[in-house]
Amino acid sequence: RFRALGLEFLLAIRPSFSFVRERSFIHKYLQSEQMEVPAVIDHDGKLFQAFGVDENSLPKVILLNAGKVELTGIEEDHLG
């Protein structure tokens, strides 16, 4: 519903359990939740670090505009 506004999502996962490291698990989970969003597994935490995400305060939403961080720290229930 946000695509029409030019907004796209990327799910970045920092696995804390071994089963979450498997792409097949992520794929099955996204299908079960009917989520059509690309996902990346951030095994070493470098993606999270690049955007200043504190792994102890997840989930986190970061809005980017042309690669620049515009807004961060929104709780998911504020997205409507």
Side-chain angles (χ1 to χ4, degrees), residues 13-15 41-55:
I13 301 163
R14 181 78 170 107
I41 301 173
D42 187 12
H43 290 285
D44 57 9
K46 290 186 180 185
L47 181 61
F48 279 34
Q49 290 173 358
F51 291 105
V53 175
D54 178 5
E55 294 180 43

Side-chain angles (χ1 to χ4, degrees), residues 59-79:
K60 183 75 75 179
V61 174
I62 301 171
L63 296 178
L64 301 174
N65 183 3
K68 178 183 170 201
V69 175
E70 293 287 339
L71 189 62
T72 185
I74 301 172
E75 298 298 325
E76 63 183 79
D77 60 327
H78 291 259
L79 293 177

